[in-house]
């Protein structure tokens, strides 16, 4: 399981580059941390090339926010970061076929 996480790892700046709004407000964590420890990103300042820069956020460690004010995040260039996502699981819905051959859309 850890090996698959390593293969998905990127630097914090590479992860935030792929997220909407440069990752502001999202939760990122290092690979070895448990699910209740993460950074909530509040600012990202990439360099011109996008491979270097700085980031700040609010650290939540073992479920407890460590401060109310954002702190600078160390190790943003290390390839040990992953996005936690929004916590919602995908749900599949099947749409029954109607007799006339057309399908209804569900909300």
């Amino acid at each position: 399981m850890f090996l698959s996480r390593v293969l998905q790892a990127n630097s914090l700046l590479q992860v935030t580059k792929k997220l909407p709004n440069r990752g502001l407000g999202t939760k990122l964590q290092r690979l070895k941390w448990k699910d209740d420890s993460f950074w909530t990103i509040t600012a990202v300042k990439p360099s011109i090339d996008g491979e270097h820069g700085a980031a700040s956020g609010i650290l939540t460690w073992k479920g407890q926010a460590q401060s109310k004010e954002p702190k600078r995040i160390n190790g943003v260039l290390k390839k040990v970061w992953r996005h936690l996502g929004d916590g919602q699981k995908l749900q599949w819905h099947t749409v029954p076929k109607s007799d006339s051959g057309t399908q209804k859309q569900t909300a």
Side-chain angles (χ1 to χ4, degrees):
M1 183 166 145
F2 182 73
L3 182 61
S4 65
R5 284 185 175 183
V6 170
L7 295 175
Q8 296 172 4
N10 285 312
S11 74
L12 186 139
L13 297 170
Q14 289 171 333
V15 173
T16 58
K17 182 169 43 173
K18 298 173 187 175
L19 296 172
N21 202 17
R22 197 66 176 170
L24 296 180
T26 61
K27 297 175 183 176
L28 299 180
Q29 78 175 172
R30 289 180 175 245
L31 295 178
K32 292 186 177 183
W33 291 0
K34 305 231 186 237
D35 287 338
D36 60 353
S37 299
F38 54 86
W39 282 96
T40 303
I41 306 300
T42 58
V44 178
K45 298 175 187 172
S47 64
I48 294 173
D49 66 358
E51 296 298 320
H52 301 87
S56 60
I58 298 173
L59 176 63
T60 301
W61 187 254
K62 296 184 179 179
Q64 299 292 321
Q66 297 299 306
S67 70
K68 293 182 181 181
E69 297 296 319
K71 305 279 184 191
R72 184 176 177 162
I73 301 173
N74 293 325
V76 296
L77 298 179
K78 293 182 178 180
K79 296 195 176 203
V80 294
W81 294 95
R82 69 181 179 126
H83 179 234
L84 281 182
D86 58 5
Q88 296 178 352
K89 294 183 179 180
L90 292 176
Q91 295 180 356
W92 294 94
H93 298 282
T94 57
V95 179
K97 289 184 179 180
S98 64
D99 294 334
S100 63
T102 61
Q103 294 182 353
K104 296 184 212 174
Q105 293 183 352
T106 60

